Amino acid sequence: MKDRISRFTELKPLPIQNPSIPEKARDVVYARKLLSVIGLDGDASPINAGAPIVGAAGMTMTLAVCPPGQGPGLHNHVKTYETFTVLKGRFEVSWNDDGSERAVLEQFDTISVPPGVCRAFRNVGDTEGILQVLITGGVHDMTDIAFTPAAKQDIEKVRRGLSAEFEKAGFTFTAGLRTPRS
């Protein structure tokens, strides 16, 4: 059982955030820091690289650490559910193709978003926040995640052609082009 313990102080940020890409562009796609806690058994997906716990019946768990005002833009997961629980701070979660619906979650509040529904989250607190992210079902890799065309535009504003770096990692910019389930 000692191999199934994760110590917060020993977690290392996921290497998926290419440091050669400007932070402003990375902030459109990622939480500022992603810490993998539970990874898939036998899966070398970048989303759960280096997870201290491996194999929990198809579930992955990551901690999204965000400074005030930060969080990824609207995106959907094609085949997986994404469930968020606030561990520290306050987060606004928005959903629908345009992010028009929203709720502020306080410590220990939880929301579960089904596949196909666009969602975003942002730390609306005054201090660093931590959001637990559980992904279940389907495929747990970058090809399951699609950002909106608006996210691509935001990335392109940072530097023309920069969105291609995210596409190389497997992301698409097609979220919200179909009617989501709510």
Side-chain angles (χ1 to χ4, degrees):
M1 287 305 300
K2 289 185 179 182
D3 289 341
R4 300 195 61 80
I5 296 173
S6 172
R7 303 278 183 202
F8 180 76
T9 58
E10 297 173 9
L11 295 175
K12 300 198 178 359
L14 285 170
I16 59 176
Q17 297 186 32
N18 183 340
S20 70
I21 295 174
E23 185 175 83
K24 188 173 182 177
R26 290 191 318 256
D27 279 354
V28 174
V29 174
Y30 303 112
R32 185 69 54 85
K33 188 187 325 179
L34 292 168
L35 305 169
S36 184
V37 178
I38 300 174
L40 294 177
D41 192 18
D43 188 354
S45 171
I47 291 177
N48 49 161
I53 300 170
V54 177
M59 177 195 79
T60 61
M61 184 172 101
T62 305
L63 300 178
V65 181
C66 301
Q70 199 271 324
L74 278 172
H75 65 285
N76 71 21
H77 289 230
V78 179
K79 296 181 179 180
T80 56
Y81 286 79
E82 191 171 35
T83 302
F84 304 107
T85 302
V86 177
L87 300 181
K88 177 183 171 190
R90 298 174 70 232
F91 282 83
E92 179 183 75
V93 177
S94 56
W95 61 92
N96 287 340
D97 292 353
D98 59 357
S100 60
E101 302 247 7
R102 56 193 69 231
V104 172
L105 302 181
E106 305 287 342
Q107 187 175 26
F108 306 126
D109 289 348
T110 299
I111 185 171
S112 183
V113 185
V117 175
C118 286
R119 80 293 305 260
F121 61 83
R122 181 173 58 90
N123 177 356
V124 294
D126 297 328
T127 60
E128 181 178 81
I130 301 175
L131 194 64
Q132 176 183 268
V133 182
L134 300 176
I135 297 178
T136 55
V139 178
H140 299 240
D141 64 20
M142 304 310 190
T143 64
D144 185 53
I145 303 170
F147 282 83
T148 62
K152 184 173 186 172
Q153 292 171 353
D154 290 344
I155 291 168
E156 290 294 309
K157 287 177 191 173
V158 176
R159 186 171 73 223
R160 186 180 164 107
L162 192 55
S163 62
E165 293 300 315
F166 293 99
E167 291 170 329
K168 284 180 196 174
F171 293 116
T172 63
F173 294 95
T174 58
L177 298 179
R178 291 168 280 153
T179 304
R181 297 180 296 182
S182 55

